[in-house]
């Protein structure tokens, strides 16, 4: 009797967005353009409110997640799909070429490729499509502030594991430049790649077993 060999599971590569896949911070890019984009949607009140929330955040009166929920809500209420696509196109021009070369390398030609970020899914998903990736694990907007949870830290790890399980993938690699991703790095130390880490980051991640680095802009 001849036993059939089980086919190996498809690999999946996950890449953090801000400072990893992108040169810079996507939320700052979003916020700089939000007031004008709302004005173009004939929503001057929403534009002023967006600047109000950003100003309170700059003064440390409100927290990051609270401000982020409020400005995202304004965009969700007034943006069209074309607006989100236009925003993503602007971000695509700021991609780290070295990271994209790693993700698109021949050795990963059969892998699924995802953005994994705490950024809003409203622009992370169109950005992934524009870059030829398979999707995004990102923060979903919730109508209620108490139901809103950013996809960072343990929440990101859980979301990655859920996607792996649902698609019967195996993790091929996880790229990041951020301390928030220590939970995922601790779970997959040999598969985590730090992008442009300084000595402090190298030392901290080395404590959880991460020793792979990718340098370049």
């Amino acid at each position: 009797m001849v036993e059939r060999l089980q086919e190996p599971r498809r690999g999946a590569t996950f890449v953090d967005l801000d400072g990893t896949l992108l040169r810079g911070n996507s939320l700052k890019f979003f916020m700089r353009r939000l007031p004008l984009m709302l004005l173009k949607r004939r929503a001057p009140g929403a534009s002023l409110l967006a600047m109000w929330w950003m100003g309170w955040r700059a003064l440390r009166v409100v927290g990051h997640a609270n401000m982020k929920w409020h400005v995202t809500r304004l965009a969700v209420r007034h943006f069209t799909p074309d607006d989100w696509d236009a925003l993503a196109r602007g971000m695509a021009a700021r991609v780290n070429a070295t990271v994209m070369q790693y993700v698109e390398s021949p050795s990963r030609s059969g892998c699924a490729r995802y953005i994994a970020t705490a950024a809003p899914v409203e622009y992370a998903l169109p950005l992934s499509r524009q870059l030829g990736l398979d999707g995004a694990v990102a923060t979903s907007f919730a109508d209620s502030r108490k139901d809103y949870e950013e996809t960072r830290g343990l929440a990101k790890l859980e979301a990655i594991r859920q996607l792996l399980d649902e698609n019967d993938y195996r993790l091929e690699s996880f790229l990041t430049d951020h301390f928030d991703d220590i939970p995922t790095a601790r779970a997959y130390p040999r598969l985590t790649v730090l992008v442009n880490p300084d000595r402090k980051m190298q030392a901290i991640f080395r404590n959880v077993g991460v020793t792979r680095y990718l340098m370049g802009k």
Side-chain angles (χ1 to χ4, degrees), residues 118-191:
V121 70
E122 285 78 14
Y123 63 70
L125 191 56
L127 176 60
S128 71
R129 290 194 295 263
Q130 292 175 22
L131 296 177
L133 307 180
D134 293 283
V137 172
T139 298
S140 298
F141 179 73
D143 291 329
S144 171
R145 174 66 183 90
K146 66 179 181 180
D147 296 328
Y148 179 77
E149 181 183 11
E150 292 184 284
T151 309
R152 70 171 69 250
L154 285 171
K156 182 186 285 191
L157 171 60
E158 292 171 2
I160 289 173
R161 281 176 165 168
Q162 181 177 350
L163 194 149
L164 292 171
D165 290 342
E166 289 176 350
N167 295 276
D168 196 29
Y169 291 152
R170 59 173 177 80
L171 185 67
E172 194 277 335
S173 55
F174 171 66
L175 286 76
T176 184
D177 80 319
H178 208 282
F179 295 111
D180 283 350
D181 288 324
I182 284 179
T184 302
R186 182 180 288 112
Y188 304 100
R190 295 183 179 180
L191 302 177

Side-chain angles (χ1 to χ4, degrees), residues 30 34 37 71-72 74-89 120-124 126-127 130:
F30 167 51
L34 179 59
M37 293 179 75
V71 297
T72 303
L74 294 169
V76 167
R77 285 180 173 179
H78 297 283
F79 277 17
T80 67
D82 287 344
D83 291 326
W84 292 114
D85 285 341
L87 193 67
R89 280 195 299 274
V121 70
E122 285 78 14
Y123 63 70
L127 176 60
Q130 292 175 22

Side-chain angles (χ1 to χ4, degrees), residues 44-140:
S47 179
L48 287 172
L49 195 54
M51 289 187 285
W52 187 86
W53 280 107
M54 294 177 208
W56 279 125
R57 175 55 186 157
L59 294 172
R60 306 290 182 178
V61 176
V62 297
H64 171 83
N66 196 25
M67 180 276 299
K68 182 176 174 180
W69 178 79
H70 281 283
V71 297
T72 303
R73 181 176 65 164
L74 294 169
V76 167
R77 285 180 173 179
H78 297 283
F79 277 17
T80 67
D82 287 344
D83 291 326
W84 292 114
D85 285 341
L87 193 67
R89 280 195 299 274
M91 295 178 188
R94 291 159 172 77
V95 164
N96 182 321
T98 301
V99 173
M100 277 303 296
Q101 289 172 5
Y102 178 96
V103 172
E104 295 178 333
S105 67
S107 63
R108 288 168 201 86
S109 60
C111 288
R113 299 166 300 172
Y114 293 88
I115 292 171
T117 179
V121 70
E122 285 78 14
Y123 63 70
L125 191 56
L127 176 60
S128 71
R129 290 194 295 263
Q130 292 175 22
L131 296 177
L133 307 180
D134 293 283
V137 172
T139 298
S140 298

Side-chain angles (χ1 to χ4, degrees), residues 25-42:
N25 185 286
S26 67
L27 187 64
K28 291 181 179 179
F29 183 91
F30 167 51
M31 292 191 301
R32 283 196 297 268
R33 284 151 183 78
L34 179 59
L36 181 57
M37 293 179 75
L38 288 170
L39 284 177
K40 290 180 178 180
R41 285 291 156 205
R42 299 181 179 179

